[in-house]
Amino acid sequence: MKGNWINQFKDAWKRFKDNVSVLDLNILNGEDLSAWENLFMGKLLPHLENEGCLVIAVAGGTNTGKSTILNVLMKKELTATDYRAAATKRPVIIASEQKAKQCLNNSMFLEFEARKMENKEEAISKSLANHILLVKEEKSLPDTYLYLDTPDIDSIAKEHWEMADKIVSAGDIIIAVMNDSKYMDEAVIKFFRRAYEEGKIVIPVMNKVDRDNPESLQIADTQIRDFMKKVEMDENSPHFYFPRYPYNEKFLDAPIKPLTGSDIELRDYIRSFPVQETKTKILERTISRFKEEFTKWYQNKFEKLFKHSFSKVKIYEGYLEDTIVGKEFKPFPEIQLVKDIKRELRKQIGNFKYFMLFPTSLFSGHRSEIKKLEINTEGVNEKIKQKHNEMIEKCFNELLDWLLKSEFISEIDCIDKNINKRLHELKNNQDAIKKKIITRVERLLSVKPEWLQGEIEEIVKDFLKSPNLRGFYGTRIISFLLLGAGLGSMVLGMPYFGPWTESIAGGGMLGSSALIESVEYKRLLKSINSLYEKWKEKKQREFSQILKEEVLQYVLQDVYQYISLAEQFDKEIQDIFNGEISLKKENIGLVQIEANDNSQNNAIMEKQ
Ligand SMILES: Nc1nc2c(ncn2[C@@H]2O[C@H](COP(=O)(O)OP(=O)(O)O)[C@@H](O)[C@H]2O)c(=O)[nH]1
Ligand SMILES: [Mg+2]
């Protein structure tokens, strides 16, 4: 990764997210995303940008005494405790003057709105929004430590754990507060396992331990070890306990004593971590964890949707080109191909020679075939126009029918919903769209491609180069003279060898050269035909492009947009990660979506 990748990544992600958010895709939510996004937004971005401090967060299940433990750590009642479950509604930061200022500038916890805490009850108040982060300044704290109270991670309120997830991502040291009835819950274990995997230091504290019972310490130790085993952390990591004090007793100054792994109490243990070193180590682990989580999301969500969209688009474009345009749309050569070739012939050999060529083309029989092509070129008459329009309509209708038949069943959720919406809009507006397409096709048929003139010149040159035509000039003059003499003697009754003799000789000469030259005419006809095919293919491609723009790109605009945004994002990501993470476009197998398949889809839908 490049040195300033953090900011590059932030910008690339913001651009992609903002642009793609209009498409309302589910790749923008979900656990995979929140895992890396929380790490990035909550940890990497603020903590690489601000000078390091250790963030100590208390976290744990409902009513375990998180807020109480935080107050004990601070030896002061700074955050509100409550006997009710899920009392703490929003995170509370306890920070030195300087750090409190940074937090209030919103440069540390990016996804929250920081606000100064005037009264500790604000933490449990129901009248404030949850995304508010309360900042409590504590002058006695050094700038190198920042404490955090968090909402429950297993609360019934889902927004609590999302918030806790976000806020704990920002932590370096997580104090896992539990009590004997709340330490093995699935949600709690999962939460701390993830925190541990993300590279955080997890310190378990068993709260409300029966203080007059020596056995209970043994039990607390066993329970914490069970917890640590489940979290997959080292069982001998330091862990602590805090007794259940009677309500009337002051316990804020009491120590949070070690059970195993430490000989100092929790406050001192926390202070024993070398700040910068710990910070760097945690950040390194966080970065690699972030990369893992990001890659997971990239491949499972982002790339999957890309491939799906891409193959879908390819199927529709393929259907359009191969099935509809290739078979249904055969435009006539309104460009007057044959006339152009004749004109070119005259230009290259002059009128006289051109006239001399004429009889053999007549005899060789190819003239009538060439004429066939010419017939269709007689101007742009109404009949031809109408035929074109019929073809266009047929193609359009077939495409529309096919799209309608292959209704997009929510494979990519919102995108598909939008596609269906647009498809019906298109159906209702089809007359106007057809008209627009017809106008565009008329224009494109009347435009003569540049390359055509060059091709025509080549064909004529090639035709004239043929050995059979060389020297035809002299032969032709003699045959004409003979024919003329024969005809003359027939009409004028002049006594030559006999009128038939000359005519037969002249005609025979013409006939035999026609026979020899017919090879060249065949070649000429073939060239004209292949030029026509080339022109037709070009016009078909252009027509297919028009249908693609007016129909497919309209109906599938979300898919096209996603593809282009994803490609853009991918390019930026590749650059940031030096190509380590990138779309695997090469193995996009076409998903088989056929119109007929849809009957099955409908059947499945009906069953549900
Ligand atoms: N007596 C006594 N009560 C405690 C102790 N720890 C927590 N509590 C009580 O347990 C309840 C929940 O505590 P709180 O810190 O608000 O839990 P949180 O929801 O995890 O923050 C409150 O009524 C606390 O007074 C303790 O050590 N002794
Ligand atoms: Mg609390």
Side-chain angles (χ1 to χ4, degrees), residues 352-365:
F352 183 64
K353 272 192 178 180
Y354 178 77
F355 171 74
M356 300 284 240
L357 254 180
F358 172 76
T360 43
S361 71
L362 190 72
F363 290 143
S364 66

mmCIF file with all atom_site columns, all heavy atoms in Angstrom, residues 352-365:
data_model
loop_
_atom_site.group_PDB
_atom_site.id
_atom_site.type_symbol
_atom_site.label_atom_id
_atom_site.label_alt_id
_atom_site.label_comp_id
_atom_site.label_asym_id
_atom_site.label_entity_id
_atom_site.label_seq_id
_atom_site.pdbx_PDB_ins_code
_atom_site.Cartn_x
_atom_site.Cartn_y
_atom_site.Cartn_z
_atom_site.occupancy
_atom_site.B_iso_or_equiv
_atom_site.pdbx_formal_charge
_atom_site.auth_seq_id
_atom_site.auth_comp_id
_atom_site.auth_asym_id
_atom_site.auth_atom_id
_atom_site.pdbx_PDB_model_num
ATOM 1   N N   . PHE A 1 352 ? -15.762 5.645   -73.742 1.00 0.00 ? 352 PHE A N   1
ATOM 2   C CA  . PHE A 1 352 ? -15.662 4.801   -74.926 1.00 0.00 ? 352 PHE A CA  1
ATOM 3   C C   . PHE A 1 352 ? -15.390 3.340   -74.553 1.00 0.00 ? 352 PHE A C   1
ATOM 4   O O   . PHE A 1 352 ? -16.085 2.422   -74.968 1.00 0.00 ? 352 PHE A O   1
ATOM 5   C CB  . PHE A 1 352 ? -14.572 5.339   -75.859 1.00 0.00 ? 352 PHE A CB  1
ATOM 6   C CG  . PHE A 1 352 ? -14.461 4.551   -77.124 1.00 0.00 ? 352 PHE A CG  1
ATOM 7   C CD1 . PHE A 1 352 ? -15.535 4.520   -78.037 1.00 0.00 ? 352 PHE A CD1 1
ATOM 8   C CD2 . PHE A 1 352 ? -13.324 3.816   -77.418 1.00 0.00 ? 352 PHE A CD2 1
ATOM 9   C CE1 . PHE A 1 352 ? -15.444 3.779   -79.201 1.00 0.00 ? 352 PHE A CE1 1
ATOM 10  C CE2 . PHE A 1 352 ? -13.236 3.069   -78.577 1.00 0.00 ? 352 PHE A CE2 1
ATOM 11  C CZ  . PHE A 1 352 ? -14.299 3.052   -79.474 1.00 0.00 ? 352 PHE A CZ  1
ATOM 12  N N   . LYS A 1 353 ? -14.366 3.146   -73.754 1.00 0.00 ? 353 LYS A N   1
ATOM 13  C CA  . LYS A 1 353 ? -14.025 1.793   -73.314 1.00 0.00 ? 353 LYS A CA  1
ATOM 14  C C   . LYS A 1 353 ? -15.173 1.168   -72.528 1.00 0.00 ? 353 LYS A C   1
ATOM 15  O O   . LYS A 1 353 ? -15.435 -0.038  -72.625 1.00 0.00 ? 353 LYS A O   1
ATOM 16  C CB  . LYS A 1 353 ? -12.763 1.812   -72.444 1.00 0.00 ? 353 LYS A CB  1
ATOM 17  C CG  . LYS A 1 353 ? -11.477 1.703   -73.231 1.00 0.00 ? 353 LYS A CG  1
ATOM 18  C CD  . LYS A 1 353 ? -10.346 1.429   -72.272 1.00 0.00 ? 353 LYS A CD  1
ATOM 19  C CE  . LYS A 1 353 ? -9.032  1.262   -73.023 1.00 0.00 ? 353 LYS A CE  1
ATOM 20  N NZ  . LYS A 1 353 ? -7.945  1.002   -72.081 1.00 0.00 ? 353 LYS A NZ  1
ATOM 21  N N   . TYR A 1 354 ? -15.814 2.005   -71.719 1.00 0.00 ? 354 TYR A N   1
ATOM 22  C CA  . TYR A 1 354 ? -16.923 1.515   -70.911 1.00 0.00 ? 354 TYR A CA  1
ATOM 23  C C   . TYR A 1 354 ? -18.014 0.957   -71.821 1.00 0.00 ? 354 TYR A C   1
ATOM 24  O O   . TYR A 1 354 ? -18.571 -0.117  -71.599 1.00 0.00 ? 354 TYR A O   1
ATOM 25  C CB  . TYR A 1 354 ? -17.477 2.652   -70.041 1.00 0.00 ? 354 TYR A CB  1
ATOM 26  C CG  . TYR A 1 354 ? -18.674 2.235   -69.205 1.00 0.00 ? 354 TYR A CG  1
ATOM 27  C CD1 . TYR A 1 354 ? -18.491 1.472   -68.044 1.00 0.00 ? 354 TYR A CD1 1
ATOM 28  C CD2 . TYR A 1 354 ? -19.967 2.589   -69.574 1.00 0.00 ? 354 TYR A CD2 1
ATOM 29  C CE1 . TYR A 1 354 ? -19.573 1.073   -67.292 1.00 0.00 ? 354 TYR A CE1 1
ATOM 30  C CE2 . TYR A 1 354 ? -21.048 2.191   -68.818 1.00 0.00 ? 354 TYR A CE2 1
ATOM 31  C CZ  . TYR A 1 354 ? -20.847 1.437   -67.680 1.00 0.00 ? 354 TYR A CZ  1
ATOM 32  O OH  . TYR A 1 354 ? -21.916 1.051   -66.944 1.00 0.00 ? 354 TYR A OH  1
ATOM 33  N N   . PHE A 1 355 ? -18.267 1.681   -72.910 1.00 0.00 ? 355 PHE A N   1
ATOM 34  C CA  . PHE A 1 355 ? -19.272 1.249   -73.886 1.00 0.00 ? 355 PHE A CA  1
ATOM 35  C C   . PHE A 1 355 ? -18.861 -0.076  -74.531 1.00 0.00 ? 355 PHE A C   1
ATOM 36  O O   . PHE A 1 355 ? -19.672 -0.959  -74.774 1.00 0.00 ? 355 PHE A O   1
ATOM 37  C CB  . PHE A 1 355 ? -19.446 2.352   -74.945 1.00 0.00 ? 355 PHE A CB  1
ATOM 38  C CG  . PHE A 1 355 ? -20.283 1.925   -76.097 1.00 0.00 ? 355 PHE A CG  1
ATOM 39  C CD1 . PHE A 1 355 ? -21.662 1.809   -75.957 1.00 0.00 ? 355 PHE A CD1 1
ATOM 40  C CD2 . PHE A 1 355 ? -19.702 1.618   -77.336 1.00 0.00 ? 355 PHE A CD2 1
ATOM 41  C CE1 . PHE A 1 355 ? -22.433 1.401   -77.031 1.00 0.00 ? 355 PHE A CE1 1
ATOM 42  C CE2 . PHE A 1 355 ? -20.475 1.199   -78.392 1.00 0.00 ? 355 PHE A CE2 1
ATOM 43  C CZ  . PHE A 1 355 ? -21.849 1.089   -78.249 1.00 0.00 ? 355 PHE A CZ  1
ATOM 44  N N   . MET A 1 356 ? -17.542 -0.211  -74.750 1.00 0.00 ? 356 MET A N   1
ATOM 45  C CA  . MET A 1 356 ? -17.034 -1.445  -75.355 1.00 0.00 ? 356 MET A CA  1
ATOM 46  C C   . MET A 1 356 ? -17.179 -2.646  -74.431 1.00 0.00 ? 356 MET A C   1
ATOM 47  O O   . MET A 1 356 ? -17.285 -3.788  -74.866 1.00 0.00 ? 356 MET A O   1
ATOM 48  C CB  . MET A 1 356 ? -15.541 -1.270  -75.680 1.00 0.00 ? 356 MET A CB  1
ATOM 49  C CG  . MET A 1 356 ? -15.284 -0.151  -76.646 1.00 0.00 ? 356 MET A CG  1
ATOM 50  S SD  . MET A 1 356 ? -15.715 -0.659  -78.279 1.00 0.00 ? 356 MET A SD  1
ATOM 51  C CE  . MET A 1 356 ? -14.143 -0.469  -79.059 1.00 0.00 ? 356 MET A CE  1
ATOM 52  N N   . LEU A 1 357 ? -17.124 -2.365  -73.150 1.00 0.00 ? 357 LEU A N   1
ATOM 53  C CA  . LEU A 1 357 ? -17.251 -3.456  -72.168 1.00 0.00 ? 357 LEU A CA  1
ATOM 54  C C   . LEU A 1 357 ? -18.665 -4.015  -72.122 1.00 0.00 ? 357 LEU A C   1
ATOM 55  O O   . LEU A 1 357 ? -18.868 -5.201  -71.881 1.00 0.00 ? 357 LEU A O   1
ATOM 56  C CB  . LEU A 1 357 ? -16.935 -2.912  -70.772 1.00 0.00 ? 357 LEU A CB  1
ATOM 57  C CG  . LEU A 1 357 ? -15.611 -3.267  -70.127 1.00 0.00 ? 357 LEU A CG  1
ATOM 58  C CD1 . LEU A 1 357 ? -15.555 -2.616  -68.762 1.00 0.00 ? 357 LEU A CD1 1
ATOM 59  C CD2 . LEU A 1 357 ? -15.424 -4.768  -70.017 1.00 0.00 ? 357 LEU A CD2 1
ATOM 60  N N   . PHE A 1 358 ? -19.590 -3.128  -72.347 1.00 0.00 ? 358 PHE A N   1
ATOM 61  C CA  . PHE A 1 358 ? -21.006 -3.400  -72.148 1.00 0.00 ? 358 PHE A CA  1
ATOM 62  C C   . PHE A 1 358 ? -21.519 -4.705  -72.775 1.00 0.00 ? 358 PHE A C   1
ATOM 63  O O   . PHE A 1 358 ? -22.126 -5.527  -72.092 1.00 0.00 ? 358 PHE A O   1
ATOM 64  C CB  . PHE A 1 358 ? -21.782 -2.170  -72.627 1.00 0.00 ? 358 PHE A CB  1
ATOM 65  C CG  . PHE A 1 358 ? -23.258 -2.345  -72.673 1.00 0.00 ? 358 PHE A CG  1
ATOM 66  C CD1 . PHE A 1 358 ? -23.998 -2.314  -71.482 1.00 0.00 ? 358 PHE A CD1 1
ATOM 67  C CD2 . PHE A 1 358 ? -23.923 -2.528  -73.879 1.00 0.00 ? 358 PHE A CD2 1
ATOM 68  C CE1 . PHE A 1 358 ? -25.361 -2.473  -71.523 1.00 0.00 ? 358 PHE A CE1 1
ATOM 69  C CE2 . PHE A 1 358 ? -25.301 -2.694  -73.909 1.00 0.00 ? 358 PHE A CE2 1
ATOM 70  C CZ  . PHE A 1 358 ? -26.022 -2.659  -72.730 1.00 0.00 ? 358 PHE A CZ  1
ATOM 71  N N   . PRO A 1 359 ? -21.235 -4.984  -74.068 1.00 0.00 ? 359 PRO A N   1
ATOM 72  C CA  . PRO A 1 359 ? -21.823 -6.185  -74.671 1.00 0.00 ? 359 PRO A CA  1
ATOM 73  C C   . PRO A 1 359 ? -21.418 -7.482  -73.994 1.00 0.00 ? 359 PRO A C   1
ATOM 74  O O   . PRO A 1 359 ? -22.245 -8.366  -73.822 1.00 0.00 ? 359 PRO A O   1
ATOM 75  C CB  . PRO A 1 359 ? -21.289 -6.158  -76.106 1.00 0.00 ? 359 PRO A CB  1
ATOM 76  C CG  . PRO A 1 359 ? -20.832 -4.785  -76.327 1.00 0.00 ? 359 PRO A CG  1
ATOM 77  C CD  . PRO A 1 359 ? -20.414 -4.253  -75.027 1.00 0.00 ? 359 PRO A CD  1
ATOM 78  N N   . THR A 1 360 ? -20.154 -7.607  -73.563 1.00 0.00 ? 360 THR A N   1
ATOM 79  C CA  . THR A 1 360 ? -19.771 -8.897  -72.980 1.00 0.00 ? 360 THR A CA  1
ATOM 80  C C   . THR A 1 360 ? -20.462 -9.115  -71.643 1.00 0.00 ? 360 THR A C   1
ATOM 81  O O   . THR A 1 360 ? -20.813 -10.232 -71.294 1.00 0.00 ? 360 THR A O   1
ATOM 82  C CB  . THR A 1 360 ? -18.253 -9.042  -72.809 1.00 0.00 ? 360 THR A CB  1
ATOM 83  O OG1 . THR A 1 360 ? -17.744 -7.835  -72.303 1.00 0.00 ? 360 THR A OG1 1
ATOM 84  C CG2 . THR A 1 360 ? -17.583 -9.431  -74.094 1.00 0.00 ? 360 THR A CG2 1
ATOM 85  N N   . SER A 1 361 ? -20.655 -8.027  -70.873 1.00 0.00 ? 361 SER A N   1
ATOM 86  C CA  . SER A 1 361 ? -21.332 -8.203  -69.587 1.00 0.00 ? 361 SER A CA  1
ATOM 87  C C   . SER A 1 361 ? -22.755 -8.684  -69.835 1.00 0.00 ? 361 SER A C   1
ATOM 88  O O   . SER A 1 361 ? -23.305 -9.471  -69.079 1.00 0.00 ? 361 SER A O   1
ATOM 89  C CB  . SER A 1 361 ? -21.323 -6.903  -68.782 1.00 0.00 ? 361 SER A CB  1
ATOM 90  O OG  . SER A 1 361 ? -22.194 -5.965  -69.365 1.00 0.00 ? 361 SER A OG  1
ATOM 91  N N   . LEU A 1 362 ? -23.289 -8.229  -70.992 1.00 0.00 ? 362 LEU A N   1
ATOM 92  C CA  . LEU A 1 362 ? -24.652 -8.650  -71.351 1.00 0.00 ? 362 LEU A CA  1
ATOM 93  C C   . LEU A 1 362 ? -24.662 -10.137 -71.700 1.00 0.00 ? 362 LEU A C   1
ATOM 94  O O   . LEU A 1 362 ? -25.463 -10.917 -71.194 1.00 0.00 ? 362 LEU A O   1
ATOM 95  C CB  . LEU A 1 362 ? -25.091 -7.823  -72.558 1.00 0.00 ? 362 LEU A CB  1
ATOM 96  C CG  . LEU A 1 362 ? -26.543 -7.908  -72.973 1.00 0.00 ? 362 LEU A CG  1
ATOM 97  C CD1 . LEU A 1 362 ? -27.418 -7.182  -71.963 1.00 0.00 ? 362 LEU A CD1 1
ATOM 98  C CD2 . LEU A 1 362 ? -26.728 -7.285  -74.355 1.00 0.00 ? 362 LEU A CD2 1
ATOM 99  N N   . PHE A 1 363 ? -23.678 -10.526 -72.494 1.00 0.00 ? 363 PHE A N   1
ATOM 100 C CA  . PHE A 1 363 ? -23.618 -11.932 -72.919 1.00 0.00 ? 363 PHE A CA  1
ATOM 101 C C   . PHE A 1 363 ? -23.301 -12.880 -71.770 1.00 0.00 ? 363 PHE A C   1
ATOM 102 O O   . PHE A 1 363 ? -23.785 -13.986 -71.718 1.00 0.00 ? 363 PHE A O   1
ATOM 103 C CB  . PHE A 1 363 ? -22.562 -12.119 -74.020 1.00 0.00 ? 363 PHE A CB  1
ATOM 104 C CG  . PHE A 1 363 ? -22.965 -11.492 -75.330 1.00 0.00 ? 363 PHE A CG  1
ATOM 105 C CD1 . PHE A 1 363 ? -22.039 -10.878 -76.159 1.00 0.00 ? 363 PHE A CD1 1
ATOM 106 C CD2 . PHE A 1 363 ? -24.308 -11.532 -75.719 1.00 0.00 ? 363 PHE A CD2 1
ATOM 107 C CE1 . PHE A 1 363 ? -22.426 -10.310 -77.363 1.00 0.00 ? 363 PHE A CE1 1
ATOM 108 C CE2 . PHE A 1 363 ? -24.680 -10.948 -76.936 1.00 0.00 ? 363 PHE A CE2 1
ATOM 109 C CZ  . PHE A 1 363 ? -23.746 -10.333 -77.760 1.00 0.00 ? 363 PHE A CZ  1
ATOM 110 N N   . SER A 1 364 ? -22.430 -12.421 -70.894 1.00 0.00 ? 364 SER A N   1
ATOM 111 C CA  . SER A 1 364 ? -21.974 -13.347 -69.846 1.00 0.00 ? 364 SER A CA  1
ATOM 112 C C   . SER A 1 364 ? -23.059 -13.662 -68.824 1.00 0.00 ? 364 SER A C   1
ATOM 113 O O   . SER A 1 364 ? -22.880 -14.524 -67.979 1.00 0.00 ? 364 SER A O   1
ATOM 114 C CB  . SER A 1 364 ? -20.749 -12.798 -69.141 1.00 0.00 ? 364 SER A CB  1
ATOM 115 O OG  . SER A 1 364 ? -21.111 -11.641 -68.431 1.00 0.00 ? 364 SER A OG  1
ATOM 116 N N   . GLY A 1 365 ? -24.154 -12.921 -68.914 1.00 0.00 ? 365 GLY A N   1
ATOM 117 C CA  . GLY A 1 365 ? -25.283 -13.243 -68.034 1.00 0.00 ? 365 GLY A CA  1
ATOM 118 C C   . GLY A 1 365 ? -25.179 -12.634 -66.653 1.00 0.00 ? 365 GLY A C   1
ATOM 119 O O   . GLY A 1 365 ? -26.109 -12.685 -65.864 1.00 0.00 ? 365 GLY A O   1
#
